[in-house]
Amino acid sequence: MTATEIARQLLDQPDPAGMRLASGLLPGSASPGRDWHDVLPLDDRVALVIGKVPRQPTEDMAAAVVERLRGALTTQLLQGRGPAETVLALHRYAGYAAEAAGTTLCLAVFEPETRSLRCATAGHPGVLLISEDGCVRQLIGSRGGPLAAGFPDIGGETVETVGQEEVVLQYSIELGRCHPDSGLERAAAAAVAESGPDPRVLCDRLTTSATCPSDIGDAMAFAFVPSTRSNRPFVLSIPAEPARLSFLRRELSAWLAASGVSKEDAFGFVLAVGEAASNSVEHGYDSGRGGGLVTVTAEAGGSGAIRITVSDNGRWRYPPVADHSRGRGLLIMRESMDEVLVHRGEHGTVVTLFKRPSRAAGNGRHDPGGYELSVAKTGEVVRVEVSGELPAASAPALRRSLLTAARGGVFPLQLDLSGVAGDVEGLVLALFSVADAASAAGRPLVLAAPEASPVRDALATAGLHRIATVTDALEPTR
């Protein structure tokens, strides 16, 4: 994988905890050396690296040098060392590894809890802090020459606190060369003064307005602002009345924003919680019954994942399969979340929603289209014939199709898998979600696959027989 491809992957990463991060890439037309771009979420810090390894005989050798430097840098940071000590260790390493000598880099380490920023450089510009009014200050921190050429001043490390209305910009030497007239600092200050401290706008402006020489490699930038994440869980109880649902959505939206959840993921949560709460209001309590409450709790995990529960003290009643206008709420919830669990007990119903941060591009919804589905409804039962190959990438689309056919688990679902051949990893992944939905609705999934067939073996190995009914063939329809 080339350095440009790796840099493009960074554009698709979810934001690390405690910051809103954007990156910009302007591919170069020359390759004077191997570019090094990294975003490394640590226990309570986030490290960002932009640098360049000297030209090597081959691209693979250059990539190997970057990997060794990345490993050494990560090891130092995980041992609790700061940027200056870490860069000093890289200088010493490069003194023994001639292929790494001459590497230039800027290492910035941000602590979201305190909003503190430290920086160390090796023959590279330091980071810029740009305020909302366009004022620019450069954090030089501990600096020295390229690796093995000039050791940094350990005592020169400084700490800056990033203001809530400041954006931090870290950029490659190449990007600086792409703004020869106005200068990168002026261009960055003008972008922030015009559009505010928005990392995405800043990166786009600096990479699209650049005029780059023909003899440089990739031009890269990272920009971020602190995100004020809420460490407190969300707890709200509302009367089980339709008029109160809009208040719930507003309060949950505010908490999700304060917790640093992306707009796309926040929309999915608000949609799913709204459906669950609506079901509690509509189905959980008898018409005219007073005193009912709907309680919503939410908490964020260390990885950025969010878990939300919607509970009531009534009884969730699944709509009858003959009612084709109902049952969409469960489907919407399952399509918006990674996991949906419904627990119905004597004292009420609890719906648990769980979702990990989404990637910016694609969101894992690629469907290679190597399979076919034939859906037929017989009475109150939906039968689906599945044929073809189903690699792992097909799982999201297959899951959506099966849940749509079963209306989120409302209709009993039977699958004929006799036509499945080849890769079945995507089938197994999708069936776990579908089986959970069917089980939650009290209508276990039925899977038919010939005995001793590869697909039957895959079902047994995965343990699907524990949550679904597995048989040799479906009974003939009448």
Side-chain angles (χ1 to χ4, degrees):
M1 181 177 291
T2 67
T4 301
E5 291 170 337
I6 293 175
R8 291 191 187 279
Q9 284 189 345
L10 290 174
L11 303 178
D12 297 339
Q13 299 299 316
D15 290 342
M19 62 196 301
R20 286 198 298 118
L21 175 68
S23 54
L25 173 66
L26 189 60
S29 55
S31 299
R34 172 79 181 201
D35 296 299
W36 179 12
H37 314 125
D38 261 326
V39 178
L40 305 170
L42 307 171
D43 293 335
D44 57 354
R45 301 177 294 170
V46 181
L48 300 100
V49 182
I50 287 184
K52 183 178 290 292
V53 169
R55 183 191 294 274
Q56 305 292 321
T58 67
E59 179 70 16
D60 288 343
M61 293 178 65
V65 175
V66 171
E67 284 302 317
R68 289 195 289 270
L69 286 171
R70 178 184 291 118
L73 179 142
T74 304
T75 299
Q76 295 294 315
L77 292 174
L78 287 175
Q79 291 176 351
R81 294 182 174 86
E85 290 182 299
T86 298
V87 172
L88 177 59
L90 295 183
H91 273 282
R92 290 169 174 163
Y93 169 78
Y96 294 98
E99 65 275 9
T103 296
T104 60
L105 68 105
C106 172
L107 168 62
V109 177
F110 178 64
E111 297 181 17
E113 187 69 23
T114 60
R115 303 205 313 273
S116 62
L117 180 68
R118 291 175 169 85
C119 176
T121 63
H124 198 285
V127 299
L128 302 179
L129 289 85
I130 310 168
S131 62
E132 193 173 22
D133 59 4
C135 179
V136 180
R137 53 196 177 109
Q138 187 170 38
L139 177 58
I140 297 176
S142 176
R143 61 177 177 176
L147 293 188
F151 282 26
D153 175 16
I154 293 295
E157 182 174 282
T158 57
V159 182
E160 290 284 348
T161 300
V162 182
Q164 290 289 1
E165 301 302 325
E166 283 187 312
V167 59
V168 179
L169 175 66
Q170 185 179 15
Y171 60 95
S172 66
I173 296 175
E174 288 78 9
L175 187 60
R177 292 182 60 192
C178 291
H179 292 270
D181 297 328
S182 60
L184 184 137
E185 289 189 21
R186 292 181 182 177
V192 174
E194 179 179 338
S195 303
D198 187 319
R200 178 74 275 150
V201 172
L202 177 59
C203 286
D204 288 346
R205 187 75 62 85
L206 292 178
T207 52
T208 56
S209 65
T211 303
C212 298
S214 59
D215 61 341
I216 67 171
D218 295 345
M220 184 75 179
F222 291 135
F224 71 87
V225 294
S227 65
T228 307
R229 291 182 178 265
S230 173
N231 293 323
R232 297 181 179 180
F234 175 86
V235 181
L236 179 65
S237 294
I238 61 170
E241 302 170 0
R244 301 293 292 171
L245 294 177
S246 59
F247 174 73
L248 167 61
R249 294 187 183 98
R250 287 197 303 271
E251 292 296 304
L252 180 61
S253 295
W255 182 86
L256 291 167
S259 298
V261 178
S262 69
K263 291 183 178 179
E264 177 184 354
D265 286 347
F267 175 82
F269 273 115
V270 172
L271 180 64
V273 169
E275 289 295 331
S278 295
N279 279 330
S280 290
V281 170
E282 186 174 358
H283 305 304
Y285 298 99
D286 295 332
S287 178
R289 177 181 171 182
L293 290 176
V294 178
T295 300
V296 178
T297 66
E299 59 182 354
S303 64
I306 302 290
R307 185 180 301 276
I308 299 181
T309 63
V310 181
S311 58
D312 60 60
N313 55 349
R315 183 177 296 276
W316 187 316
R317 297 184 300 278
Y318 279 93
V321 294
D323 186 353
H324 296 275
S325 65
R326 315 304 287 272
R328 298 294 181 183
L330 272 175
L331 178 60
I332 290 172
M333 282 184 267
R334 297 188 189 281
E335 284 301 292
S336 304
M337 300 289 103
D338 292 333
E339 296 178 20
V340 178
L341 301 175
V342 180
H343 175 75
R344 295 169 290 159
E346 294 181 2
H347 303 291
T349 302
V350 179
V351 178
T352 302
L353 310 169
F354 178 81
K355 183 172 176 60
R356 303 170 187 85
S358 298
R359 293 182 179 271
N363 199 25
R365 291 184 178 272
H366 173 64
D367 176 15
Y371 63 91
E372 293 183 0
L373 302 180
S374 176
V375 181
K377 186 170 179 293
T378 304
E380 295 184 347
V381 176
V382 174
R383 289 193 170 193
V384 181
E385 294 181 7
V386 186
S387 60
E389 292 197 21
L390 294 112
S394 66
L398 176 63
R399 168 180 167 270
R400 289 195 302 273
S401 297
L402 295 178
L403 287 174
T404 299
R407 281 174 50 205
V410 172
F411 283 120
L413 185 63
Q414 299 179 354
L415 303 184
D416 182 351
L417 307 178
S418 59
V420 174
D423 194 346
V424 297
E425 184 178 358
L427 173 68
V428 171
L429 292 172
L431 289 182
F432 273 106
S433 295
V434 177
D436 283 342
S439 178
R443 302 177 177 94
L445 177 66
V446 177
L447 305 174
E451 188 175 3
S453 65
V455 65
R456 181 70 171 264
D457 292 342
L459 298 179
T461 301
L464 276 161
H465 61 282
R466 298 187 180 93
I467 57 176
T469 301
V470 179
T471 183
D472 296 339
L474 298 179
E475 295 182 3
T477 57
R478 297 179 180 179

